[in-house]
Amino acid sequence: MHTGFTWLGCGAFIPRSKVLRFLAQLGSNGLSKDRLRVADMYFSIWTNQYPYQMSNPLTPLDQKEGWSDGVDQWRIVYQNIYDASSKLYEALAANAVDHFMREEEQPRPDQRDTRAPCLNDKCLFLTNIDPFPLPTSVVFDNVNVTQVRMQETQFDKLDFPSNDFWTKHAYHYAVDRDDNTCWNSYKAPHAGDYFGLHMLTAINSKHVTILSSQNINHLENVFAISTSTNGDRWVTCKYQPLKDAVVSSDPHRLHIGFLCPAAEPFRFLRIEFQRDLPEPFEVCSLGLEGFNV
């Protein structure tokens, strides 16, 4: 069992095959009419896959006369999450021929690095730094856990950002074209950690600019730059000093010149830490020649 809940109402891309499988699951599990009305709460859990969630700014809609108006919506949500999880657990334990997947899809949570779409929809923000515990940190016990809040109690004992912190420093703030908002790594980066961009179209560039709320203009030797045309084969680029006209005196702005062995357009850029940092790192904006987010 390797699954999780996500709100489909916040936006989702779903393969047609999973929708068809879910319809087959509904047809064979005999949910009551009341449960069928909120079947979307079952969908992500019954995929038996960890949802791939990306950070986005959400705008609340008018809740007047909404389905949750006048009801304890979290009680309903938690009841259905637990019911969906229990039914999945029992189906997997029975090991019968059914419509539930057993194999875990790739990439697994510890291999994922696509975190947020850029505001202009021309790129994606990448980083391997994840401040949240892996879902395998808390195991679902179908016997001793009788409600979702009991499961949450176990998760709450782990170290992860508070709601207030993440509201101010989520991934998408690195690429929202607002220099006053910043992604914060929460934990101090280690050597080998990275952040960067996956661009919709290939570009040519020989320098990258990082804007932070911190003083970073002395850290050019901390980072290594690599590029890729497909996200699989990476080329390490050499550091190249920039002309004085390009370099800014702003202590919050770091300009890094680089020269790659193959002078070809690239779609992926990775900025990798070469040593451990003593404190969390913040990125407020990223820029390449002719491309700023």
Side-chain angles (χ1 to χ4, degrees):
M1 184 173 177
H2 32 71
T3 192
F5 175 77
T6 188
W7 277 110
L8 297 185
C10 293
F13 293 96
I14 304 168
R16 184 172 182 266
S17 59
K18 290 188 177 180
V19 175
L20 294 176
R21 182 178 292 112
F22 182 62
L23 293 176
Q25 291 168 344
L26 290 177
S28 62
N29 276 276
L31 292 184
S32 66
K33 184 181 295 185
D34 288 342
R35 299 284 190 188
L36 287 173
R37 291 178 60 187
V38 290
D40 60 303
M41 299 181 191
Y42 285 69
F43 179 84
S44 65
I45 293 175
W46 280 5
T47 63
N48 197 25
Q49 304 296 334
Y50 297 122
Y52 202 136
Q53 294 181 303
M54 287 196 280
S55 173
N56 272 292
L58 299 177
T59 302
L61 298 175
D62 183 4
Q63 299 298 306
K64 186 178 180 181
E65 298 182 3
W67 77 268
S68 59
D69 190 29
V71 301
D72 183 353
Q73 59 173 314
W74 283 113
R75 181 182 62 83
I76 296 173
V77 171
Y78 280 11
Q79 283 178 347
N80 287 293
I81 289 176
Y82 183 79
D83 188 59
S85 301
S86 295
K87 284 181 167 57
L88 172 62
Y89 185 98
E90 292 167 359
L92 297 176
N95 201 28
V97 177
D98 53 37
H99 300 285
F100 293 104
M101 292 186 66
R102 266 67 175 176
E103 301 79 17
E104 185 175 356
E105 294 176 340
Q106 302 291 335
R108 296 183 178 183
D110 61 336
Q111 301 168 331
R112 299 174 184 178
D113 66 356
T114 302
R115 303 300 182 181
C118 302
L119 183 66
N120 60 8
D121 285 333
K122 293 183 178 180
C123 61
L124 297 168
F125 179 63
L126 310 176
T127 180
N128 72 310
I129 301 173
D130 186 352
F132 295 96
L134 290 173
T136 50
S137 302
V138 177
V139 178
F140 178 64
D141 184 344
N142 195 48
V143 176
N144 297 312
V145 173
T146 57
Q147 54 180 307
V148 173
R149 292 195 186 278
M150 294 175 65
Q151 186 83 354
E152 278 191 340
T153 299
Q154 298 181 49
F155 187 82
D156 289 343
K157 296 176 183 177
L158 305 176
D159 180 26
F160 58 92
S162 66
N163 289 342
D164 182 64
F165 179 94
W166 200 240
T167 298
K168 296 176 181 177
H169 298 295
Y171 292 118
H172 63 269
Y173 289 124
V175 288
D176 64 349
R177 310 197 80 169
D178 185 345
D179 293 350
N180 296 311
T181 59
C182 311
W183 162 66
N184 184 293
S185 64
Y186 184 66
K187 296 180 179 179
H190 296 292
D193 286 338
Y194 62 87
F195 60 92
L197 296 173
H198 171 187
M199 286 153 286
L200 185 62
T201 57
I203 68 168
N204 268 313
S205 181
K206 293 183 179 179
H207 86 256
V208 60
T209 301
I210 306 168
L211 179 66
S212 177
S213 62
Q214 303 159 319
N215 292 345
I216 62 170
N217 65 349
H218 61 291
L219 297 180
E220 62 269 9
N221 294 325
V222 169
F223 298 104
I225 306 297
S226 55
T227 62
S228 175
T229 57
N230 57 14
D232 293 323
R233 184 177 61 85
W234 290 85
V235 175
T236 301
C237 306
K238 293 182 179 179
Y239 171 72
Q240 179 171 274
L242 295 169
K243 297 179 181 179
D244 291 341
V246 177
V247 178
S248 170
S249 59
D250 183 354
H252 303 290
R253 200 177 298 270
L254 174 62
H255 298 273
I256 304 175
F258 58 91
L259 186 63
C260 303
E264 59 181 348
F266 56 87
R267 292 179 56 227
F268 294 82
L269 173 79
R270 182 179 288 178
I271 305 167
E272 183 176 325
F273 294 91
Q274 295 300 287
R275 60 176 172 83
D276 296 352
L277 292 192
E279 59 183 13
F281 192 76
E282 286 198 358
V283 177
C284 306
S285 179
L286 289 170
L288 295 159
E289 292 174 274
F291 190 90
N292 291 284
V293 292

